[in-house]
Amino acid sequence: MSDMSDMSDMSGGSVTAEQSARTPNSPQSPSASQPSLTRHPAQPHPAQSTQPTHSTHHGHALASILGPAFVAAVAYVDPGNVAANITSGARYGYLLVWVLVLANLMSVLIQYQSAKLGIVTGKSLPQILGERMGDAGRYMFFMQAEVIAIATDLAEVIGGAIALRLLFGLPLFWGGCVIGAVSTVLLWFQGGRTHRVFEKIVIAMLLVITFGFIAGLFVDPPNGGDVLAGLVPRFRGADSVLMASSILGATVMPHAIYLHSTLVNDHYAPGEEKPDTRQLLRGSKIDVVWALALAGTVNLALLVLAANSLYGMNGTDTIEGAQHAIEMVLGPAVGTIFSIGLLASSLSSTSVGTYAGSEIMRGLLHIHAPMWACRVVTLVPALVVLWFSANPTYALVIGQVVLSIGIPFAIIPLMRYTRDQELMGKYRDSMVKHVVFLLVAVLIIALNVVLVYLTMTGQN
C-alpha cells in the first residue's frame, strides 16, 4: 500500500548519502592548510557522523523513528474492540477471521497516510484544517471533533472501571475516578523532552495488553486449521453480515487519524535533529506495519480465544460477561490476567484519547490548553454516565455510534490533503494510491452508515 515514489527511494537514498560523504574529502584532501574545513569540530558535517557503517547508521536511524505508530495503535485495542472481537468469536466461531484481517490491512493504509501528512508538512491534520477553514468552520469542526474525543474517552473509562470492579470490587464511579487520575499522571510525560518516556510507557502497556489477551490461547490452544479456514471470505446468514459490518465499520478511530500526524513530529524534542523526509517516510512505514501487526494480533487473539473456548456461550456480549465466561472455562488465573489486560487497555487508550483532544483544540482553535484541562473535559461526561447509568455497556454502544458519525470528518480531509500538490509536493499520493484510498474510505464510511442505522433502529 505504499506510494511508488516512496518505495523507489529505498535504494536511491543510500547512494545519495554515500556521494555526499565523499564530497568533503575529494576536492582538496592533500592540503592541510584549509582552516574552513576544521574551524568547527564540534559541529561535524552530517555525512561524516554516519561514516562507521551504512548498516549501523541505518539501524540507529530506524530505531530513532520507531514509536509514534505504537502509541496510535493503542486505539485499536481499546475496550470497545475487546468487546466486539469476543462477541464475534463467541457467536460465529472463526467465521469472521477474514474480516478482522481485512480491517487491519485498511488501518495500516490510513494510519500511514496520517503519518505521511505530518512528516511531509510538519503539521498535524487539525492544524492544516485550522489554517484552511474560516472561523465558523473551525468552531463547528472542533465541536464535532471534541464530541468524538468525549465518546472515545467514554469507552476507555468505562472499560477501565469495569476492569477495576472485576479485579478489586471497586464501584464503577470510583473506578472511573481512579482511571482518570492515573491517566492524568501519565499525560505529564507527554510532549517536550519527556515525550519518549510517554511513548515507552504506552508501548509497555501495549505489551501488557498483548499478554493479557493472548494468555488464554496458551491454556487452551486453538486448532490451526480452523483459524486458517476463517480466512476464506464467507458469511452465515444476515446476522453475520451485520457483525462483519460492525467489525469493519469500527476499524478506524477518528482520534487516531488526527493524532498520528502529530505523533510523528512530537516524537522529536525541540531542537533535536531529525532524519530527512525520505528516511522518515521509510521508517514510518515500518513503524506502522509493526505496530498495527501487533494490535491486529491482539484483536485476532481475542476473536480466536472466544471462538475456541467460548463459542455458543450466552452472556458474552458484555465485557463483564466475557470475563466471567473466560474465568469459568479457562480458570480464575486466566480471567484475572484478562482483567489486567483490560485495565492496561483502558489506561493507555484514555491517555492517548486525551492527547488527541488536546491536539484537536490546538490545531483548530489555536488554544494551548493545559493537558489536565483537556483531561477534565473528556473525563467528566464519562463519570456522569458511570454515576447515573444502570447499564454502562449500552453507553458503549451509543459511544460507538458517535464515533462512527465522526469518521468521515477525519478520513475525507486526510484523503484530500495527501493528494494535494501544494501541501505534499513530490510526496503527494499517486493516482493509483489515491484511488485505493478512495475505495477504502468509501467502504469504511458506508459500513459506518449501516452500523449507525442498524443501531438506531434496534437491529444491531
Side-chain angles (χ1 to χ4, degrees):
M1 291 180 285
S2 304
D3 235 8
M4 294 302 293
S5 60
D6 293 341
M7 296 302 291
S8 64
D9 296 320
M10 295 295 284
S11 60
S14 61
V15 173
T16 304
E18 185 178 349
Q19 290 171 342
S20 63
R22 295 195 194 103
T23 303
N25 299 326
S26 54
Q28 300 169 351
S29 55
S31 174
S33 59
Q34 295 292 334
S36 62
L37 293 179
T38 58
R39 186 175 299 166
H40 303 289
Q43 298 179 349
H45 190 280
Q48 293 175 345
S49 64
T50 63
Q51 282 296 315
T53 64
H54 176 72
S55 60
T56 301
H57 165 69
H58 178 74
H60 286 304
L62 176 60
S64 72
I65 294 170
L66 298 180
F70 285 86
V71 176
V74 165
Y76 293 87
V77 290
D78 72 341
N81 282 301
V82 172
N85 292 320
I86 289 182
T87 300
S88 175
R91 286 185 185 177
Y92 305 108
Y94 301 100
L95 182 71
L96 301 179
V97 167
W98 67 273
V99 176
L100 199 53
V101 173
L102 177 62
N104 203 62
L105 290 175
M106 291 194 300
S107 68
V108 170
L109 170 64
I110 292 171
Q111 291 304 137
Y112 173 69
Q113 290 293 90
S114 177
K116 178 180 177 179
L117 180 68
I119 289 170
V120 173
T121 64
K123 301 175 182 178
S124 69
L125 178 57
Q127 278 182 282
I128 297 173
L129 285 165
E131 292 173 355
R132 296 192 164 206
M133 300 175 74
D135 289 343
R138 287 191 298 112
Y139 282 102
M140 291 180 65
F141 201 98
F142 168 76
M143 289 174 63
Q144 68 81 27
E146 194 63 24
V147 169
I148 296 304
I150 291 172
T152 300
D153 213 35
L154 181 67
E156 328 303 20
V157 174
I158 289 176
I162 292 173
L164 288 173
R165 183 161 75 174
L166 291 170
L167 289 168
F168 308 109
L170 204 63
L172 288 177
F173 175 79
W174 295 111
C177 292
V178 171
I179 295 296
V182 175
S183 61
T184 301
V185 173
L186 293 178
L187 287 166
W188 285 348
F189 295 98
Q190 180 275 326
R193 298 193 177 278
T194 60
H195 186 79
R196 298 282 180 91
V197 177
F198 175 75
E199 288 183 350
K200 291 175 181 177
I201 293 173
V202 172
I203 292 172
M205 285 194 286
L206 184 58
L207 295 177
V208 173
I209 295 167
T210 303
F211 177 72
F213 291 157
I214 70 172
L217 296 180
F218 295 100
V219 177
D220 186 14
N223 183 291
D226 292 339
V227 177
L228 291 176
L231 294 174
V232 179
R234 65 194 189 282
F235 295 104
R236 187 190 304 151
D239 287 347
S240 64
V241 177
L242 297 182
M243 191 70 224
S245 298
S246 297
I247 293 174
L248 275 172
T251 296
V252 180
M253 303 293 280
H255 71 288
I257 299 176
Y258 294 127
L259 184 59
H260 204 158
S261 55
T262 300
L263 289 169
V264 292
N265 292 310
D266 285 357
H267 182 66
Y268 297 94
E272 183 179 356
E273 184 180 356
K274 296 183 182 181
D276 62 40
T277 300
R278 292 192 184 279
Q279 275 187 312
L280 286 170
L281 289 174
R282 289 196 294 269
S284 184
K285 288 175 188 175
I286 298 172
D287 192 31
V288 169
V289 170
W290 287 4
L292 292 183
L294 180 60
T297 300
V298 172
N299 285 319
L300 184 60
L302 286 167
L303 190 152
V304 170
L305 172 68
N308 185 54
S309 304
L310 310 180
Y311 180 59
M313 294 183 65
N314 295 324
T316 57
D317 52 348
T318 66
I319 294 177
E320 288 178 288
Q323 193 271 351
H324 289 317
I326 291 171
E327 194 172 69
M328 184 174 63
V329 174
L330 301 176
V334 176
T336 299
I337 293 172
F338 175 87
S339 298
I340 293 172
L342 179 63
L343 179 60
S345 168
S346 169
L347 286 171
S348 56
S349 55
T350 192
S351 300
V352 169
T354 302
Y355 186 0
S358 171
E359 176 55 32
I360 290 168
M361 181 180 293
R362 185 172 72 90
L364 288 169
L365 302 186
H366 313 305
I367 295 175
H368 295 259
M371 191 63 72
W372 64 264
C374 298
R375 169 74 281 191
V376 170
V377 168
T378 56
L379 177 63
V380 169
L383 294 179
V384 170
V385 169
L386 288 173
W387 182 265
F388 290 103
S389 176
N391 184 8
T393 298
Y394 181 70
L396 288 178
V397 173
I398 298 302
Q400 187 60 60
V401 173
V402 175
L403 288 176
S404 299
I405 294 173
I407 284 178
F409 293 96
I411 201 171
I412 291 176
L414 178 64
M415 180 176 61
R416 175 187 173 189
Y417 292 151
T418 52
R419 177 65 180 166
D420 191 311
Q421 177 72 42
E422 179 185 351
L423 271 176
M424 304 297 288
K426 64 181 180 179
Y427 297 106
R428 75 168 185 159
D429 287 346
S430 66
M431 180 56 70
V432 172
K433 185 174 183 180
H434 185 66
V435 170
V436 172
F437 194 9
L438 176 62
L439 293 175
V440 169
V442 169
L443 176 61
I444 291 174
I445 292 171
L447 287 171
N448 276 279
V449 170
V450 171
L451 180 61
V452 171
Y453 172 77
L454 294 174
T455 304
M456 299 304 292
T457 57
Q459 299 179 55
N460 190 13

